[in-house]
Amino acid sequence: MKVTLVSRSGREFLKGDIELSDSATVADLQQKIHKRTQKYYPSRQRLTLPVKPGPKEKPVVLHYKKSLKDYTDGNSDNLTVVFKDLGPQVYYRTLFFFEYLGPLIIYPLFYYFPQVYNLLGYTGERVIHPVQTYAMYYWSFHYFKRIVETFFVHRFSHATSPLSNVFRNSAYYWAFAAYISYKVNHPLYTPVGELQMKIGFGFGLLCQVANLYCHILLRNLRTTNGVKGYQIPRGFLFNYITCANYTTEILQWIGFNIATQLVAGYVFVAVGCCFMTNWALAKHRRLNKLFDGKEGRPKYPRRWILLPPLL
């Protein structure tokens, strides 16, 4: 079969058609494009069908595992495909590793090297409070857990992410790590009472373990009984909350903030909560749309989206 590659403006992207066998898949087409251009490797390509005139609709994205014949009318040996360059890509594991490595390194620097405060003008004696030590261990455990989950627990629906996300996400995590660590480990930091500290860290650690369990459940979700694609999350907190993994993520940082009692920590939670709320709303809508109870499909159960009883 012949494939004509055009840009989103409708102009021919490659000179001449690409010749492929009738049994060729989208992945075969991606490899051909890479061979012809050298620059555009498969994960950098977004291939869609041309949008038909009329009401605005989202273009159909070609799945790399599907046959190209699936996207024709069945009788045609010609296919027009719209090409979009997604830009330089990195593996999601690489992205997450670098965004989590920064906080794991930056936070302890303020704890172990108090000289930074002398450089900023503080000349008094520094006394390390127990809460500062526990906060450093808590923080380090969290991001070490994140890195371990990235390589051994998480399964990603997309293999790669734009390279620019590495810089954007790292700036977010690294800046907050420096901001919070600077405040918690400052010589003038005033600790909370011992009981409040124990309640905060105890609750936070419980939520960290719950968060890990949520991620394990999500890891196994798409391979249960060999069924692929989206499934209704079930088990543990997922029986009540659509995005239980985000819920436990937020609660574990609330526990940290109860123990440390700093504005910087609550700002971090507030910003993160905004991001996770948007992701949770999108996922909840998607699951309700996929599992609508029609044509034999199961009905998505009524659940809280993120934070009972607020959302």
Side-chain angles (χ1 to χ4, degrees), residues 275-305:
F275 288 132
M276 284 183 270
T277 297
N278 288 332
W279 300 335
L281 288 169
K283 183 174 183 179
H284 191 77
R285 286 194 294 265
R286 183 167 63 249
L287 289 172
N288 271 306
K289 184 177 180 180
L290 288 171
F291 302 103
D292 53 9
K294 300 176 182 177
E295 299 178 0
R297 292 184 292 269
K299 177 72 174 175
Y300 190 72
R302 186 174 182 180
R303 293 176 179 172
W304 297 103
I305 300 174

Side-chain angles (χ1 to χ4, degrees), residues 84-110:
K84 179 184 178 183
D85 175 21
L86 296 176
Q89 301 285 301
V90 296
Y91 289 111
Y92 264 102
R93 285 188 171 86
T94 303
L95 166 66
F96 288 154
F97 174 74
F98 279 106
E99 68 183 43
Y100 299 151
L101 181 64
L104 190 59
I105 294 174
I106 292 171
Y107 190 99
L109 292 178
F110 289 90

Side-chain angles (χ1 to χ4, degrees), residues 53-291:
K56 287 187 177 180
E57 293 184 6
K58 290 184 178 180
V60 176
V61 180
L62 276 60
H63 193 278
Y64 73 99
K65 287 186 178 180
K66 285 192 173 184
S67 169
L68 288 170
K69 283 285 188 182
D70 293 340
Y71 296 102
T72 66
D73 58 12
N75 299 315
S76 175
D77 289 326
N78 297 290
L79 180 66
T80 300
V81 174
V82 180
F83 175 91
K84 179 184 178 183
D85 175 21
L86 296 176
Q89 301 285 301
V90 296
Y91 289 111
Y92 264 102
R93 285 188 171 86
T94 303
L95 166 66
F96 288 154
F97 174 74
F98 279 106
E99 68 183 43
Y100 299 151
L101 181 64
L104 190 59
I105 294 174
I106 292 171
Y107 190 99
L109 292 178
F110 289 90
Y111 178 85
Y112 286 111
F113 299 99
Q115 296 87 345
V116 66
Y117 297 103
N118 300 132
L119 295 174
L120 295 172
Y122 181 79
T123 56
E125 183 182 357
R126 183 195 184 205
V127 177
I128 298 178
H129 302 286
V131 66
Q132 294 171 311
T133 301
Y134 295 143
M136 193 271 294
Y137 290 149
Y138 184 100
W139 181 281
S140 299
F141 172 74
H142 171 77
Y143 283 102
F144 177 76
K145 178 180 83 71
R146 282 279 193 96
I147 290 175
V148 171
E149 289 174 340
T150 295
F151 288 100
F152 300 105
V153 178
H154 293 319
R155 286 178 175 165
F156 303 99
S157 56
H158 299 286
T160 62
S161 171
L163 176 62
S164 59
N165 286 348
V166 174
F167 303 102
R168 184 196 65 187
N169 293 13
S170 294
Y172 168 76
Y173 281 102
W174 294 26
F176 266 115
Y179 179 37
I180 294 172
S181 184
Y182 172 79
K183 292 293 187 180
V184 172
N185 295 296
H186 198 285
L188 297 179
Y189 170 74
T190 302
V192 300
E194 184 178 357
L195 178 61
Q196 182 174 335
M197 177 190 72
K198 289 180 177 178
I199 291 173
F201 284 137
F203 174 72
L205 283 172
L206 184 65
C207 291
Q208 289 218 47
V209 174
N211 181 254
L212 171 61
Y213 186 55
C214 287
H215 288 159
I216 292 172
L217 289 176
L218 290 175
R219 170 191 167 85
N220 298 329
L221 192 62
R222 293 186 178 182
T223 57
T224 304
N225 299 324
V227 178
K228 296 182 179 180
Y230 284 105
Q231 296 185 59
I232 297 176
R234 300 187 190 278
F236 192 45
L237 297 177
F238 286 110
N239 291 333
Y240 313 100
I241 306 169
T242 295
C243 294
N245 52 319
Y246 296 156
T247 304
T248 51
E249 176 76 14
I250 293 169
L251 293 179
Q252 70 186 14
W253 285 117
I254 289 177
F256 178 86
N257 289 330
I258 290 172
T260 55
Q261 202 66 39
L262 282 172
V263 172
Y266 283 108
V267 171
F268 180 52
V269 170
V271 174
C273 194
C274 289
F275 288 132
M276 284 183 270
T277 297
N278 288 332
W279 300 335
L281 288 169
K283 183 174 183 179
H284 191 77
R285 286 194 294 265
R286 183 167 63 249
L287 289 172
N288 271 306
K289 184 177 180 180
L290 288 171
F291 302 103

